[in-house]
Amino acid sequence: MFFELTDATIEPQRYRPKLTDSGAGGYVSFEGWVRDRNEGQIVTALEYEAYPELAQHEAQRILSEAYAQFPIRAIACVHRTGYLQIGELAVWIGVSATHRQSAFQACEYTIDQLKVRLPIWKKEYYQNGHSHWVHCSHCAAKAASSSQ
């Protein structure tokens, strides 16, 4: 299991070798990118702020839970902080498993839990010059249902 917070560009090819395992028959990854629209507004950039020590601790708990709930071989996650432009990679998750279904399930569980439990805050910058800290209420509902 591996988690990293970084203010540098995420390079998935750097982390993927951490997931190789001769018993793994598949690998699933998720890449969360900065998109140019949200809830009817044109987004020009994002900014992530984190409480690093707590984020590291909580991320390890989430990865441990995924490892315990699904028969996977390895899991890794990297999350950005700082100012990001449209199209940049904000979060990357990689999971290897003997069979693909458990890799998909562990990956989905991990991103759902990260979005609501990590002490990382997202601020959107809009084309009209305004900015707004984002609270994802539908993410919280989905994470609650997936953890049951």
Side-chain angles (χ1 to χ4, degrees):
M1 285 182 289
F2 171 83
F3 176 78
E4 180 180 307
L5 265 181
T6 181
D7 60 0
T9 299
I10 297 173
E11 299 172 352
Q13 69 277 11
R14 183 175 150 218
Y15 303 102
R16 192 172 175 267
K18 297 178 184 301
L19 303 171
T20 56
D21 181 317
S22 61
Y27 157 79
V28 168
S29 68
F30 171 79
E31 295 184 357
W33 302 337
V34 178
R35 65 177 181 269
D36 66 356
R37 295 179 194 280
N38 189 32
E39 298 182 357
Q41 300 233 44
I42 298 174
V43 177
T44 59
L46 291 182
E47 182 177 2
Y48 286 99
E49 289 189 10
Y51 181 165
E53 296 82 8
L54 190 55
Q56 185 72 35
H57 177 75
E58 191 64 19
Q60 289 297 334
R61 286 184 56 190
I62 293 166
L63 297 181
S64 293
E65 290 167 8
Y67 198 82
Q69 290 182 37
F70 306 100
I72 60 176
R73 306 295 289 200
I75 185 167
C77 177
V78 184
H79 201 297
R80 277 287 306 269
T81 58
Y83 194 83
L84 286 75
Q85 298 292 327
I86 301 302
E88 282 194 82
L89 188 53
V91 62
W92 174 86
I93 300 168
V95 181
S96 62
T98 304
H99 301 288
R100 68 181 181 273
Q101 183 178 12
S102 51
F104 279 114
Q105 290 171 324
C107 194
E108 183 177 27
Y109 175 83
T110 301
I111 189 62
D112 288 348
Q113 296 301 314
L114 288 174
K115 288 180 79 76
V116 295
R117 291 171 50 187
L118 275 193
I120 295 177
W121 300 274
K122 179 169 73 174
K123 187 175 193 177
E124 291 181 339
Y125 291 87
Y126 305 111
Q127 187 179 42
N128 64 10
H130 293 114
S131 60
H132 176 72
W133 289 100
V134 177
H135 172 68
C136 184
S137 57
H138 67 275
C139 297
K142 186 170 189 324
S145 68
S146 72
S147 66
Q148 296 174 354

